[in-house]
């Protein structure tokens, strides 16, 4: 009789779960090996709760293609449940009236107690949660293959001067010094790393957050463009159009020695079975030790009409900040958890260094938002910067002084 009661209860629970099940459609651009593996953990956890996951992946590391598709869907009245949207873009979507309020989920999950204000502020529109943070990426990383450096008898650089010295030795040894993909967002990722070193944290913030015209057109920015142009000499001729993960594979295989890229690159090393500190080295981008350029991945949640879909949507929001998911996801993605109360014992040295620097730079004023990844300014100003930076980087005859003037002029026209 006891067994029959248990079976009956299980049947009722299963039926209830099926009845309450909803579907979430999630738009994202996480299609590389490490990224896809990380996202599958979220899908699995949601399906365990009885909800269906509809994957809406649009390839393209910077998310430009995904945003184009999202705008079409939203305007036509058929938005997904959630979409990968970052930084200032969250405010823009909130202002258009497309996003739904998640305050009830946030209160139940105690988000305010476990996520730093620097992150929660970005997730709100009109003081209400409309998005959920997934992780914290450090963008100003240099990834290096130690065997390539041994072969060239070179030292992994800690300054821009050391980068150029190592680059010459690597070229002489027949190794591509810097793996790079010639796409605007990748050009901007390298550019902002150089800018952080040359400008320093204070002027970096003036340039890319405050959009200070004097800094954007000033002598220090001329020097940024000068150093940035020199880096072009250490990139191979096949870089135009190359995806970032293909560039990472070049470092993994030893075809190239270094890559300046956010710590999502670590997910590719992990997926290839490589061990931090042994098979690859992670150090701050040249000259940026003690500084941290952050990129917070997040999902914004759209207003839906179907009640079952709303329930599934809220389950998704709660699951993203669940400690279990935070651990599994970030171990695969290469980033660090956005929760400050996490057990970090399973994380490698790169992640431990990243978490320590994340906390310390928040106190020193050296924690700065990534311009290249939509955290520092509006999409309009970012687009103007991208245009100038990419055009400069691909023009052998481009003049750094003229580039700085163009940068200020383009940004001014965009705001």
């Amino acid at each position: 009789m006891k067994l029959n009661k248990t079976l009956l209860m299980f049947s009722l629970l299963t039926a209830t779960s099926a009845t309450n099940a909803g579907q979430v459609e999630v738009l994202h651009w996480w299609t590389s090996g490490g990224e896809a593996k990380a996202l599958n953990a979220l899908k699995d956890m949601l399906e365990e709760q009885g909800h269906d996951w509809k994957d809406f992946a649009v390839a393209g590391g910077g998310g430009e293609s995904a945003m184009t598709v999202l705008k079409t869907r939203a305007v036509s009245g058929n938005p997904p449940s959630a979409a990968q949207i970052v930084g200032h873009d969250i405010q823009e979507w909130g202002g258009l009236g497309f996003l739904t309020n998640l305050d009830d989920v946030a209160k139940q999950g105690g988000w305010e107690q476990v996520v730093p204000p620097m992150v929660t502020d970005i997730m709100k529109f009109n003081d209400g949660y409309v998005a959920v943070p997934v992780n914290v990426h450090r963008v100003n990383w240099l990834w290096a293959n130690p065997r390539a450096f041994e072969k060239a008898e070179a030292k992994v650089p800690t300054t821009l001067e050391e980068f150029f010295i190592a680059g010459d030795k690597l070229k002489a040894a027949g190794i591509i010094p810097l793996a790079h993909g010639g796409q605007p967002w990748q050009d901007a990722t390298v550019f902002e790393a150089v800018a952080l070193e040359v400008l320093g944290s204070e002027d970096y913030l003036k340039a890319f957050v405050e959009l200070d015209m004097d800094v954007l057109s000033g002598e220090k920015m001329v020097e940024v463009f000068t150093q940035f142009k020199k880096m072009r000499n250490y990139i191979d001729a096949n870089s135009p159009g190359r995806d970032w993960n293909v560039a990472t594979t070049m470092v993994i295989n030893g075809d190239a020695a270094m890559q300046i890229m956010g710590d999502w690159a670590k997910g590719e090393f992990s997926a290839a079975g490589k061990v931090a500190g042994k098979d690859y080295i992670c150090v701050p981008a040249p000259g940026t030790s003690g500084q941290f350029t952050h990129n917070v991945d997040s999902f914004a949640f759209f207003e839906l009409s179907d009640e079952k879909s709303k329930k599934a949507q809220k389950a998704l929001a709660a699951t993203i900040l669940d400690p279990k998911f935070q651990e599994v996801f970030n171990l695969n993605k290469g980033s660090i958890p956005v929760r400050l109360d996490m057990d970090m014992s399973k994380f490698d040295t790169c992640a431990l260094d990243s978490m320590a620097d994340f906390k310390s730079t928040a106190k020193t004023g050296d924690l700065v938002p990534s311009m290249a990844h939509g955290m520092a300014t509006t999409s309009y100003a970012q687009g103007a910067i991208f245009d100038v930076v990419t055009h400069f980087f691909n023009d052998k005859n481009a003049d750094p002084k003229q580039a700085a003037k163009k940068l200020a002029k383009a940004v001014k026209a965009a705001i």
Side-chain angles (χ1 to χ4, degrees), residues 23 30-31 83 90 145-146 206 213 224 253 305 323 362 370 373 415:
Q23 183 185 76
W30 286 333
T31 55
I90 294 170
N145 185 316
K206 283 182 181 178
M213 294 300 144
V224 172
N253 294 339
S305 55
S370 169
H373 297 273
I415 58 176

Side-chain angles (χ1 to χ4, degrees), residues 88 199 201-213 215-216 294 367-371 374-378 381 385 411 415:
H88 282 260
L199 297 176
S201 301
E202 188 177 342
D203 280 345
Y204 175 98
L205 290 169
K206 283 182 181 178
F208 302 123
V209 176
E210 298 171 26
L211 305 179
D212 185 308
M213 294 300 144
V215 179
L216 285 168
H294 71 77
L367 178 65
V368 301
S370 169
M371 171 278 295
M375 302 304 297
T377 187
T378 65
I385 296 168
V411 170
I415 58 176

Side-chain angles (χ1 to χ4, degrees), residues 91-413:
Q91 304 304 311
E92 291 176 24
W93 282 99
L96 292 169
F98 284 113
L99 304 183
T100 192
N101 187 281
L102 299 169
D103 283 349
D104 53 344
V105 185
K107 187 176 180 182
Q108 191 175 356
W111 294 0
E112 296 284 325
Q113 287 73 51
V114 295
V115 181
M118 182 276 292
V119 176
T120 57
D121 289 348
I122 302 167
M123 301 301 125
K124 296 176 182 177
F125 177 74
N126 286 345
D127 292 326
Y129 280 98
V130 292
V132 185
V134 187
N135 56 1
V136 176
H137 279 297
R138 185 180 196 169
V139 182
N140 61 315
W141 274 122
L142 178 80
W143 306 93
N145 185 316
R147 289 179 302 283
F149 279 87
E150 286 168 16
K151 184 180 175 183
E153 297 182 352
K155 188 180 93 171
V156 176
T158 58
T159 66
L160 278 174
E161 186 181 0
E162 288 179 3
F163 173 86
F164 298 125
I165 291 168
D168 289 336
K169 289 184 176 180
L170 288 158
K171 281 172 83 172
I175 300 166
I176 298 165
L178 187 65
H180 183 68
Q183 297 171 337
W185 73 271
Q186 292 192 63
D187 295 341
T189 298
V190 176
F191 177 79
E192 77 174 11
V194 175
L196 187 60
E197 195 275 350
V198 175
L199 297 176
S201 301
E202 188 177 342
D203 280 345
Y204 175 98
L205 290 169
K206 283 182 181 178
F208 302 123
V209 176
E210 298 171 26
L211 305 179
D212 185 308
M213 294 300 144
D214 291 335
V215 179
L216 285 168
S217 63
E219 285 302 312
K220 285 173 85 173
M221 190 60 75
V222 173
E223 180 62 14
V224 172
F225 277 105
T226 301
Q227 297 297 322
F228 181 54
K229 188 174 186 177
K230 281 179 72 176
M231 298 191 93
R232 192 72 185 80
N233 299 324
Y234 300 92
I235 294 167
D236 67 297
N238 296 321
S239 68
R242 179 187 288 145
D243 287 334
W244 70 268
N245 53 311
V246 176
T248 306
T249 301
M250 291 168 64
V251 180
I252 292 171
N253 294 339
D255 298 322
M258 299 175 277
Q259 182 184 22
I260 292 173
M261 186 53 63
D263 50 19
W264 48 90
K266 192 177 71 173
E268 299 303 296
F269 284 98
S270 299
K274 303 300 180 183
V275 178
K278 179 188 171 188
D279 301 310
Y280 66 96
I281 295 167
C282 55
V283 294
T288 67
S289 179
Q291 296 167 293
F292 192 117
T293 316
H294 71 77
N295 173 27
V296 178
D297 279 321
S298 53
F299 284 102
F301 285 68
F302 286 75
E303 192 72 53
L304 302 175
S305 55
D306 180 70
E307 286 302 319
K308 287 182 181 179
S309 295
K310 281 183 181 180
K311 285 182 180 178
Q313 188 183 49
K314 290 191 175 186
L316 174 65
T319 304
I320 288 171
L321 276 174
D322 182 283
K324 181 186 171 187
F325 171 70
Q326 283 280 304
E327 179 179 270
V328 173
F329 179 86
N330 287 290
L331 284 170
N332 283 306
K333 186 74 162 63
S335 45
I336 56 173
V338 74
R339 295 179 65 116
L340 296 179
D341 61 344
M342 291 289 295
D343 175 6
M344 296 291 288
S345 59
K346 290 184 182 177
F347 288 82
D348 63 24
T349 54
C350 296
L352 295 175
D353 288 348
S354 189
M355 181 63 89
D357 287 349
F358 176 59
K359 291 177 178 178
S360 65
T361 54
K363 296 174 184 174
T364 61
D366 292 304
L367 178 65
V368 301
S370 169
M371 171 278 295
H373 297 273
M375 302 304 297
T377 187
T378 65
S379 58
Y380 308 107
Q382 183 199 46
I385 296 168
F386 275 24
D387 287 345
V388 174
V389 167
T390 291
H391 184 268
F392 173 83
F393 203 47
N394 291 295
D395 180 0
K396 290 181 181 178
N397 300 315
D399 177 57
K401 283 188 179 180
Q402 290 301 315
K405 287 179 183 177
K406 285 179 183 176
L407 183 66
K409 191 175 179 181
V411 170
K412 191 172 184 179

Side-chain angles (χ1 to χ4, degrees), residues 25-47 53-58 82-84 134-135 297-299 316 319-320 325 328-334:
E25 184 180 19
V26 183
L27 172 65
H28 64 92
W29 57 85
W30 286 333
T31 55
S32 75
E35 293 174 326
K37 190 176 179 183
L39 194 66
N40 276 336
L42 183 58
K43 177 188 173 185
D44 291 344
M45 287 182 72
L46 199 71
E47 287 178 344
W53 174 285
K54 186 177 179 182
D55 204 53
F56 186 5
V58 181
Q84 190 179 350
V134 187
N135 56 1
D297 279 321
S298 53
F299 284 102
L316 174 65
T319 304
I320 288 171
F325 171 70
V328 173
F329 179 86
N330 287 290
L331 284 170
N332 283 306
K333 186 74 162 63

